[in-house]
Amino acid sequence: MKKSSKTDWKALESMTDEEIDHSDIPKLPSIFFKHAKKWHPQSKVKITVELDEDLLQWFKEENDDWESRMQTALRLYVETHKESRRIQDLTH
């Protein structure tokens, strides 16, 4: 069963920084914002993939939401390599 987002993205987009209540979260260092990227959930595609058993077991033991964690790990890998590829394309 997949959880759907209950976030009202349009309302959030229209809010100013001053309208957002930050009182329950610690202040982030400026370096965080230097590397932060805005991300919106995308539609998912159901596939079958073979993985090493130890990889799957690690994700399952790490968190109940292991599929999302695996998705995040893949997303970080892709984004990192996209940037590397972009830099390589610029230098060749």
Side-chain angles (χ1 to χ4, degrees):
M1 179 177 285
K2 294 190 178 194
K3 300 175 191 173
S4 60
S5 174
K6 296 179 182 176
T7 303
D8 183 348
W9 292 106
K10 288 185 183 200
L12 188 60
E13 285 281 336
S14 67
M15 292 176 76
T16 65
D17 287 346
E18 293 75 27
E19 294 173 312
I20 301 172
D21 178 11
H22 298 105
S23 63
D24 63 338
I25 53 176
K27 196 160 185 84
L28 294 169
S30 59
I31 191 75
F32 172 85
F33 295 100
K34 181 178 179 184
H35 299 286
K37 294 182 181 176
K38 187 175 174 182
W39 179 82
H40 291 283
Q42 299 177 19
S43 59
K44 306 285 189 256
V45 177
K46 191 174 272 293
I47 64 163
T48 300
V49 62
E50 292 185 17
L51 301 169
D52 292 341
E53 188 174 347
D54 63 322
L55 293 175
L56 180 59
Q57 193 60 36
W58 187 87
F59 277 96
K60 284 184 171 184
E61 289 174 0
E62 192 68 16
N63 192 293
D64 288 340
D65 195 18
W66 64 271
E67 289 169 309
S68 292
R69 295 283 180 122
M70 192 175 282
Q71 164 90 13
T72 300
L74 289 169
R75 168 74 51 205
L76 289 170
Y77 178 90
V78 168
E79 294 301 323
T80 299
H81 285 80
K82 273 186 188 178
E83 182 65 17
S84 296
R85 187 179 297 163
R86 187 184 71 77
I87 290 169
Q88 187 177 22
D89 289 347
L90 291 173
T91 58
H92 287 96

